[in-house]
Amino acid sequence: QGQLVESGGGLVQPGGSLRLSCAPSGRSFTLNVLGWFRQAPGLERQFVAAIGWNGAITRYSDSVKGRFTISRDNSKNTMTLQMHSLNPGDTAVYYCAARRARFNDLTTTVDTYDYWGQGTQVTVSS
């Protein structure tokens, strides 16, 4: 069974930037759809971004569009989420996820993703 491991979370001031990484282990996800979700205290897990198998197609939630960039490097079997112009509303635990579905079926709901990381905390505060 594959696993996903996130890294790069931390504390950042409003307006700052942070870069999250996701490194699968146990199996390759190079043909699979990958995504990022986040969950703030007391709220449901929400879609942030998704990327197709070769990185050519991406999808973002309206709340992060223009500020976050999702990318992947299949040669290194890694995925990243570059976050700019962070605000306190971005504070959450961020999870990377993978679908069994391959190629470019970029879905946005939690129940369509099959593999999950343990999450990394992002806190935006002055």
Side-chain angles (χ1 to χ4, degrees):
Q1 185 99 9
Q3 292 186 334
L4 301 166
V5 181
E6 304 95 338
S7 62
L11 173 65
V12 62
Q13 292 187 341
S17 299
L18 208 58
R19 183 182 180 92
L20 305 182
S21 295
C22 175
S25 66
R27 61 162 286 175
S28 172
F29 289 96
T30 55
L31 295 181
N32 299 79
V33 172
L34 299 177
W36 287 97
F37 288 74
R38 66 186 183 186
Q39 187 167 17
L43 298 179
E44 293 184 351
R45 195 168 298 188
Q46 297 178 327
F47 170 76
V48 174
I51 189 166
W53 73 281
N54 65 353
I57 296 178
T58 58
R59 188 173 182 178
Y60 297 92
S61 69
D62 288 342
S63 62
V64 308
K65 196 175 297 183
R67 300 188 298 123
F68 292 11
T69 301
I70 188 172
S71 62
R72 65 191 296 169
D73 184 343
N74 284 342
S75 68
K76 300 178 181 178
N77 204 25
T78 59
M79 174 179 65
T80 61
L81 184 69
Q82 180 67 55
M83 304 184 292
H84 295 297
S85 302
L86 287 161
N87 60 67
D90 296 314
T91 295
V93 177
Y94 283 70
Y95 298 89
C96 74
R99 300 195 64 202
R100 288 197 183 97
R102 294 184 171 186
F103 305 121
N104 292 320
D105 187 10
L106 306 188
T107 55
T108 63
T109 57
V110 170
D111 61 351
T112 59
Y113 285 76
D114 305 288
Y115 304 93
W116 292 87
Q118 81 289 350
T120 184
Q121 177 69 46
V122 172
T123 303
V124 185
S125 175
S126 55

